[in-house]
Amino acid sequence: MDAQPATAPGPIATKVGRYRWSIIALLFFATTVNYIDRTMLGLLAPMLGDELSWNENDYGNIVTAFQAAYALGFLLMGWLVDRFGPKIGYSIAITIWTIGHVMHGFATSVLSFMLSRIVLGVGEAGHFPSVVRASSEWFPQKERAYAIGWVNSATTIGVILTAPTLWVFMTWLGFGWRETFFYTGIFGAVLLVLWLLLYSNPRESGKVSEAELAWIEHDPPERIEKIGWGKVVRTREAWSFATAKFLTDPVWFLMLFWLPKYFTSTYDVDLSVVLLPMIVMYLLSDVGSIAGGWLSSRLIHKGYTPNVARKVTMLIAGCCVTPLLFVTSLDNMWLAVGLIGLALAGHQAFSSNLLSIPPDMFPKRAVGSVIGLGGFAGGIGGMIMAKSTGLVLDATAGNYTLIFACCTVVYFLAVGAIHLLSPRLKPVEIVRV
């Protein structure tokens, strides 16, 4: 990896207007709504299990239905965003997932909950292809990872806000769980209206100054091509991204679904006590998301190539995950919170840079498809991790040491796979089809 400048220095200054950051604010809100909608069922599951007489296998089937639909939905939604652009593509995605969210309020059986989760999963799969495609339209390469880092940080904000949202609707306002699904569907409707009203590409917005537009578009122009899905999946660069997602996304799924159980079983505390540690760890992950994006963007500003900036930052992020090796030996819960929080920060720093790589290598009209391929691979990895975690915990009487050890290795394997398949993160050339 060399350290030559990514692009020739130009006269354009970065402080040329800030309207582009309003798009990030809109995407931040969208990400928050997305994660509130997907997290609500998990928090309501104990109550619904009692009311509807679910067993563990029933709930497992509901979760698996979402994960499978989410993984497969990435392939469809990635293509859709590329075919129709982020404005139309994301509008379709928001509509589908909001319908799926509201459907939960009508569900009466395991099968109907599975159907609701399938619709939700397909729609929500359009989120990250739209986020990265929109970021590639509104931000030059030097700022893109930092911008995506801010949006990525909203994933944990959504998780944190889910419990207070349920309290407002179910305790303060006195709604039942069915009405809560109906009324929180308003969030998706508001998001759809805002997206349709506020989003456009920079040249069509009418709100971007000439200086800011010049800054947004100052990267070397790319060829305008009609890009077929078949061409995308035959590139090594697309599979470098997909392999990294397959290896690292399962760690995030593991932390989302298993951390509360880990703390309750290891430190003999109930879920009300676990809530504060979870908030602390998720806030630390937000710091990592923003800091990881800032670091690689800063390195590019300093004259390093995106190849150096992304991979060095990802290696540093991987190092932040290695303290997971020591977590299971700790008797002090708050020390464990600190180390796991550092690992989550490392994951989010890694993720912010990983999501920035497809726009580095692919034309804008292929970015959604590449993100979709990676999301599909990450979803498959998450399903494998969920099954493997259960088997390992059963075989080791609930010992997480081997599971956490595997988590510390995958980031370095992911960087190795990216470097092997795309040594310089050079733009790919895709012929016209």
Side-chain angles (χ1 to χ4, degrees):
M1 297 187 294
D2 55 11
Q4 281 77 33
T7 57
I12 304 170
T14 60
K15 295 182 179 180
V16 290
R18 303 189 62 82
Y19 184 79
R20 64 194 182 281
W21 291 100
S22 67
I23 301 300
I24 293 302
L26 179 59
L27 291 171
F28 188 98
F29 173 67
T31 305
T32 303
V33 172
N34 182 285
Y35 270 75
I36 289 175
D37 285 359
R38 80 171 61 182
T39 307
M40 273 181 54
L41 183 65
L43 292 183
L44 291 171
M47 181 185 71
L48 295 179
D50 292 338
E51 181 177 327
L52 302 174
S53 301
W54 292 345
N55 58 35
E56 292 295 334
N57 186 57
D58 290 334
Y59 184 62
N61 289 335
I62 293 170
V63 171
T64 301
F66 173 82
Q67 290 184 310
Y70 189 61
L72 291 170
F74 264 106
L75 299 177
L76 170 64
M77 288 298 174
W79 171 83
L80 194 72
V81 171
D82 281 341
R83 175 66 178 81
F84 296 104
K87 182 162 188 170
I88 300 301
Y90 196 35
S91 297
I92 295 172
I94 295 168
T95 301
I96 293 173
W97 101 53
T98 301
I99 290 172
H101 176 76
V102 173
M103 285 173 60
H104 288 69
F106 294 101
T108 57
S109 65
V110 171
L111 182 61
S112 54
F113 272 99
M114 289 175 65
L115 179 60
S116 301
R117 298 305 280 181
I118 288 171
V119 177
L120 180 76
V122 170
E124 291 206 336
H127 176 69
F128 280 108
S130 302
V131 165
V132 178
R133 173 66 185 271
S135 300
S136 71
E137 290 188 350
W138 277 90
F139 286 83
Q141 192 175 51
K142 290 180 179 180
E143 287 184 327
R144 197 173 296 138
Y146 185 46
I148 290 174
W150 273 101
V151 177
N152 197 40
S153 70
T155 58
T156 50
I157 297 299
V159 173
I160 291 170
L161 289 179
T162 304
T165 299
L166 290 176
W167 180 87
V168 167
F169 281 90
M170 298 183 70
T171 301
W172 189 48
L173 296 176
F175 295 131
W177 65 267
R178 293 186 185 279
E179 291 82 5
T180 298
F181 275 112
F182 298 151
Y183 283 110
T184 52
I186 294 172
F187 298 159
V190 170
L191 172 61
L192 177 61
V193 171
L194 290 176
W195 185 256
L196 288 171
L197 289 176
L198 300 178
Y199 189 83
S200 63
N201 66 50
R203 283 197 167 272
E204 295 175 351
S205 70
K207 298 179 180 179
V208 181
S209 68
E210 288 296 326
E212 185 174 13
L213 186 63
W215 170 248
I216 291 170
E217 297 180 344
H218 84 273
D219 288 336
E222 61 187 27
R223 291 170 55 196
I224 305 299
E225 301 168 331
K226 181 180 178 182
I227 298 170
W229 171 255
K231 292 290 184 180
V232 170
V233 298
R234 288 202 293 270
T235 63
R236 294 188 308 164
E237 291 80 3
W239 287 104
S240 72
F241 174 74
T243 302
K245 292 285 283 182
F246 175 82
L247 290 168
T248 60
D249 274 12
V251 179
W252 186 248
F253 290 126
L254 172 75
M255 297 302 177
L256 283 178
F257 297 135
W258 294 89
L259 273 186
K261 185 176 177 63
Y262 173 77
F263 277 95
T264 54
S265 62
T266 302
Y267 298 104
D268 194 25
V269 293
D270 60 32
L271 286 175
S272 63
V273 176
V274 170
L275 183 60
L276 180 59
M278 295 297 293
I279 290 173
V280 171
M281 290 184 290
Y282 285 141
L283 289 177
L284 286 172
S285 76
D286 282 347
V287 173
S289 180
I290 297 167
W294 173 86
L295 178 58
S296 70
S297 293
R298 184 64 177 170
L299 289 173
I300 295 174
H301 273 292
K302 290 288 187 180
Y304 291 91
T305 62
N307 184 50
V308 172
R310 308 289 191 232
K311 291 175 183 175
V312 167
T313 304
M314 292 163 79
L315 286 172
I316 294 171
C319 290
C320 292
V321 182
T322 55
L324 276 180
L325 286 169
F326 309 106
V327 167
T328 55
S329 64
L330 297 175
D331 294 325
N332 186 294
M333 184 182 74
W334 286 103
L335 285 177
V337 167
L339 292 186
I340 295 175
L342 179 62
L344 287 172
H347 173 87
Q348 289 292 70
F350 189 98
S351 180
S352 295
N353 282 274
L354 183 57
L355 288 171
S356 301
I357 285 178
D360 290 340
M361 298 188 295
F362 288 87
K364 292 181 178 68
R365 293 179 65 185
V367 165
S369 297
V370 178
I371 296 293
L373 179 64
F376 171 75
I380 297 300
M383 295 172 69
I384 294 172
M385 172 65 90
K387 186 65 175 178
S388 301
T389 298
L391 293 174
V392 169
L393 293 178
D394 283 342
T396 60
N399 192 312
Y400 284 77
T401 301
L402 178 60
I403 297 167
F404 286 166
C406 291
C407 293
T408 65
V409 174
V410 293
Y411 297 90
F412 301 106
L413 293 177
V415 175
I418 292 170
H419 192 62
L420 178 66
L421 294 172
S422 185
R424 294 183 177 274
L425 297 185
K426 293 174 62 176
V428 299
E429 292 292 334
I430 303 177
V431 298
R432 189 181 298 273
V433 294

PDB file of all heavy atoms in Angstrom, residues 23-39:
ATOM      1  N   ILE A  23     -28.556  16.370   4.146  1.00  0.00           N
ATOM      2  CA  ILE A  23     -28.886  15.046   3.622  1.00  0.00           C
ATOM      3  C   ILE A  23     -28.466  13.976   4.617  1.00  0.00           C
ATOM      4  O   ILE A  23     -29.181  12.986   4.837  1.00  0.00           O
ATOM      5  CB  ILE A  23     -28.205  14.818   2.259  1.00  0.00           C
ATOM      6  CG1 ILE A  23     -28.663  15.886   1.250  1.00  0.00           C
ATOM      7  CG2 ILE A  23     -28.492  13.418   1.739  1.00  0.00           C
ATOM      8  CD1 ILE A  23     -30.160  15.893   0.992  1.00  0.00           C
ATOM      9  N   ILE A  24     -27.328  14.174   5.261  1.00  0.00           N
ATOM     10  CA  ILE A  24     -26.884  13.230   6.291  1.00  0.00           C
ATOM     11  C   ILE A  24     -27.844  13.256   7.475  1.00  0.00           C
ATOM     12  O   ILE A  24     -28.164  12.215   8.065  1.00  0.00           O
ATOM     13  CB  ILE A  24     -25.445  13.552   6.734  1.00  0.00           C
ATOM     14  CG1 ILE A  24     -24.481  13.287   5.581  1.00  0.00           C
ATOM     15  CG2 ILE A  24     -25.035  12.745   7.963  1.00  0.00           C
ATOM     16  CD1 ILE A  24     -24.509  11.873   5.046  1.00  0.00           C
ATOM     17  N   ALA A  25     -28.335  14.433   7.842  1.00  0.00           N
ATOM     18  CA  ALA A  25     -29.321  14.516   8.927  1.00  0.00           C
ATOM     19  C   ALA A  25     -30.585  13.732   8.568  1.00  0.00           C
ATOM     20  O   ALA A  25     -31.161  13.020   9.409  1.00  0.00           O
ATOM     21  CB  ALA A  25     -29.664  15.975   9.220  1.00  0.00           C
ATOM     22  N   LEU A  26     -31.020  13.840   7.319  1.00  0.00           N
ATOM     23  CA  LEU A  26     -32.190  13.100   6.865  1.00  0.00           C
ATOM     24  C   LEU A  26     -31.928  11.589   6.907  1.00  0.00           C
ATOM     25  O   LEU A  26     -32.786  10.804   7.367  1.00  0.00           O
ATOM     26  CB  LEU A  26     -32.560  13.541   5.452  1.00  0.00           C
ATOM     27  CG  LEU A  26     -33.756  12.858   4.789  1.00  0.00           C
ATOM     28  CD1 LEU A  26     -35.021  13.067   5.611  1.00  0.00           C
ATOM     29  CD2 LEU A  26     -33.944  13.399   3.370  1.00  0.00           C
ATOM     30  N   LEU A  27     -30.753  11.169   6.461  1.00  0.00           N
ATOM     31  CA  LEU A  27     -30.394   9.754   6.493  1.00  0.00           C
ATOM     32  C   LEU A  27     -30.220   9.253   7.929  1.00  0.00           C
ATOM     33  O   LEU A  27     -30.509   8.090   8.239  1.00  0.00           O
ATOM     34  CB  LEU A  27     -29.112   9.513   5.686  1.00  0.00           C
ATOM     35  CG  LEU A  27     -29.245   9.689   4.176  1.00  0.00           C
ATOM     36  CD1 LEU A  27     -27.878   9.642   3.514  1.00  0.00           C
ATOM     37  CD2 LEU A  27     -30.160   8.614   3.582  1.00  0.00           C
ATOM     38  N   PHE A  28     -29.739  10.130   8.817  1.00  0.00           N
ATOM     39  CA  PHE A  28     -29.610   9.789  10.238  1.00  0.00           C
ATOM     40  C   PHE A  28     -30.996   9.489  10.817  1.00  0.00           C
ATOM     41  O   PHE A  28     -31.196   8.488  11.517  1.00  0.00           O
ATOM     42  CB  PHE A  28     -28.949  10.945  10.985  1.00  0.00           C
ATOM     43  CG  PHE A  28     -28.593  10.643  12.414  1.00  0.00           C
ATOM     44  CD1 PHE A  28     -27.299  10.273  12.753  1.00  0.00           C
ATOM     45  CD2 PHE A  28     -29.534  10.745  13.433  1.00  0.00           C
ATOM     46  CE1 PHE A  28     -26.961   9.994  14.077  1.00  0.00           C
ATOM     47  CE2 PHE A  28     -29.217  10.476  14.748  1.00  0.00           C
ATOM     48  CZ  PHE A  28     -27.916  10.101  15.072  1.00  0.00           C
ATOM     49  N   PHE A  29     -31.965  10.346  10.525  1.00  0.00           N
ATOM     50  CA  PHE A  29     -33.335  10.127  10.990  1.00  0.00           C
ATOM     51  C   PHE A  29     -33.894   8.838  10.399  1.00  0.00           C
ATOM     52  O   PHE A  29     -34.558   8.052  11.096  1.00  0.00           O
ATOM     53  CB  PHE A  29     -34.211  11.323  10.604  1.00  0.00           C
ATOM     54  CG  PHE A  29     -35.672  11.130  10.881  1.00  0.00           C
ATOM     55  CD1 PHE A  29     -36.143  11.041  12.179  1.00  0.00           C
ATOM     56  CD2 PHE A  29     -36.581  11.030   9.826  1.00  0.00           C
ATOM     57  CE1 PHE A  29     -37.500  10.854  12.435  1.00  0.00           C
ATOM     58  CE2 PHE A  29     -37.929  10.852  10.070  1.00  0.00           C
ATOM     59  CZ  PHE A  29     -38.396  10.765  11.379  1.00  0.00           C
ATOM     60  N   ALA A  30     -33.638   8.599   9.124  1.00  0.00           N
ATOM     61  CA  ALA A  30     -34.134   7.393   8.465  1.00  0.00           C
ATOM     62  C   ALA A  30     -33.567   6.139   9.123  1.00  0.00           C
ATOM     63  O   ALA A  30     -34.289   5.150   9.336  1.00  0.00           O
ATOM     64  CB  ALA A  30     -33.762   7.425   6.980  1.00  0.00           C
ATOM     65  N   THR A  31     -32.287   6.167   9.453  1.00  0.00           N
ATOM     66  CA  THR A  31     -31.651   5.016  10.093  1.00  0.00           C
ATOM     67  C   THR A  31     -32.244   4.773  11.474  1.00  0.00           C
ATOM     68  O   THR A  31     -32.461   3.625  11.883  1.00  0.00           O
ATOM     69  CB  THR A  31     -30.139   5.236  10.189  1.00  0.00           C
ATOM     70  OG1 THR A  31     -29.609   5.525   8.894  1.00  0.00           O
ATOM     71  CG2 THR A  31     -29.437   4.007  10.748  1.00  0.00           C
ATOM     72  N   THR A  32     -32.518   5.842  12.203  1.00  0.00           N
ATOM     73  CA  THR A  32     -33.119   5.716  13.526  1.00  0.00           C
ATOM     74  C   THR A  32     -34.487   5.049  13.439  1.00  0.00           C
ATOM     75  O   THR A  32     -34.795   4.118  14.196  1.00  0.00           O
ATOM     76  CB  THR A  32     -33.244   7.101  14.191  1.00  0.00           C
ATOM     77  OG1 THR A  32     -31.946   7.710  14.268  1.00  0.00           O
ATOM     78  CG2 THR A  32     -33.818   6.982  15.598  1.00  0.00           C
ATOM     79  N   VAL A  33     -35.320   5.500  12.505  1.00  0.00           N
ATOM     80  CA  VAL A  33     -36.646   4.901  12.315  1.00  0.00           C
ATOM     81  C   VAL A  33     -36.509   3.434  11.917  1.00  0.00           C
ATOM     82  O   VAL A  33     -37.226   2.550  12.434  1.00  0.00           O
ATOM     83  CB  VAL A  33     -37.447   5.676  11.251  1.00  0.00           C
ATOM     84  CG1 VAL A  33     -38.751   4.946  10.911  1.00  0.00           C
ATOM     85  CG2 VAL A  33     -37.738   7.084  11.729  1.00  0.00           C
ATOM     86  N   ASN A  34     -35.588   3.149  11.022  1.00  0.00           N
ATOM     87  CA  ASN A  34     -35.361   1.790  10.554  1.00  0.00           C
ATOM     88  C   ASN A  34     -35.074   0.846  11.717  1.00  0.00           C
ATOM     89  O   ASN A  34     -35.646  -0.243  11.815  1.00  0.00           O
ATOM     90  CB  ASN A  34     -34.193   1.801   9.551  1.00  0.00           C
ATOM     91  CG  ASN A  34     -33.892   0.449   8.954  1.00  0.00           C
ATOM     92  OD1 ASN A  34     -33.330  -0.410   9.603  1.00  0.00           O
ATOM     93  ND2 ASN A  34     -34.260   0.274   7.692  1.00  0.00           N
ATOM     94  N   TYR A  35     -34.205   1.278  12.626  1.00  0.00           N
ATOM     95  CA  TYR A  35     -33.802   0.395  13.727  1.00  0.00           C
ATOM     96  C   TYR A  35     -34.833   0.337  14.846  1.00  0.00           C
ATOM     97  O   TYR A  35     -34.925  -0.680  15.548  1.00  0.00           O
ATOM     98  CB  TYR A  35     -32.415   0.778  14.242  1.00  0.00           C
ATOM     99  CG  TYR A  35     -31.347   0.024  13.496  1.00  0.00           C
ATOM    100  CD1 TYR A  35     -31.003   0.377  12.186  1.00  0.00           C
ATOM    101  CD2 TYR A  35     -30.724  -1.078  14.047  1.00  0.00           C
ATOM    102  CE1 TYR A  35     -30.066  -0.331  11.471  1.00  0.00           C
ATOM    103  CE2 TYR A  35     -29.780  -1.797  13.346  1.00  0.00           C
ATOM    104  CZ  TYR A  35     -29.455  -1.418  12.060  1.00  0.00           C
ATOM    105  OH  TYR A  35     -28.533  -2.144  11.345  1.00  0.00           O
ATOM    106  N   ILE A  36     -35.612   1.384  15.053  1.00  0.00           N
ATOM    107  CA  ILE A  36     -36.727   1.290  15.994  1.00  0.00           C
ATOM    108  C   ILE A  36     -37.725   0.248  15.508  1.00  0.00           C
ATOM    109  O   ILE A  36     -38.187  -0.614  16.271  1.00  0.00           O
ATOM    110  CB  ILE A  36     -37.411   2.663  16.179  1.00  0.00           C
ATOM    111  CG1 ILE A  36     -36.513   3.617  16.979  1.00  0.00           C
ATOM    112  CG2 ILE A  36     -38.753   2.502  16.894  1.00  0.00           C
ATOM    113  CD1 ILE A  36     -37.063   5.027  17.098  1.00  0.00           C
ATOM    114  N   ASP A  37     -38.040   0.295  14.216  1.00  0.00           N
ATOM    115  CA  ASP A  37     -39.017  -0.637  13.659  1.00  0.00           C
ATOM    116  C   ASP A  37     -38.545  -2.085  13.754  1.00  0.00           C
ATOM    117  O   ASP A  37     -39.345  -2.984  14.048  1.00  0.00           O
ATOM    118  CB  ASP A  37     -39.304  -0.280  12.198  1.00  0.00           C
ATOM    119  CG  ASP A  37     -40.192   0.952  12.069  1.00  0.00           C
ATOM    120  OD1 ASP A  37     -40.592   1.506  13.107  1.00  0.00           O
ATOM    121  OD2 ASP A  37     -40.473   1.373  10.932  1.00  0.00           O
ATOM    122  N   ARG A  38     -37.271  -2.336  13.520  1.00  0.00           N
ATOM    123  CA  ARG A  38     -36.807  -3.721  13.548  1.00  0.00           C
ATOM    124  C   ARG A  38     -36.594  -4.238  14.971  1.00  0.00           C
ATOM    125  O   ARG A  38     -36.601  -5.440  15.210  1.00  0.00           O
ATOM    126  CB  ARG A  38     -35.530  -3.885  12.726  1.00  0.00           C
ATOM    127  CG  ARG A  38     -34.252  -3.453  13.396  1.00  0.00           C
ATOM    128  CD  ARG A  38     -33.038  -3.850  12.591  1.00  0.00           C
ATOM    129  NE  ARG A  38     -33.019  -3.242  11.271  1.00  0.00           N
ATOM    130  CZ  ARG A  38     -32.074  -3.457  10.361  1.00  0.00           C
ATOM    131  NH1 ARG A  38     -31.066  -4.274  10.644  1.00  0.00           N
ATOM    132  NH2 ARG A  38     -32.120  -2.867   9.184  1.00  0.00           N
ATOM    133  N   THR A  39     -36.401  -3.325  15.944  1.00  0.00           N
ATOM    134  CA  THR A  39     -36.066  -3.733  17.310  1.00  0.00           C
ATOM    135  C   THR A  39     -37.288  -3.917  18.194  1.00  0.00           C
ATOM    136  O   THR A  39     -37.228  -4.616  19.208  1.00  0.00           O
ATOM    137  CB  THR A  39     -35.123  -2.678  17.943  1.00  0.00           C
ATOM    138  OG1 THR A  39     -33.997  -2.468  17.084  1.00  0.00           O
ATOM    139  CG2 THR A  39     -34.611  -3.124  19.296  1.00  0.00           C
TER     140      THR A  39
END
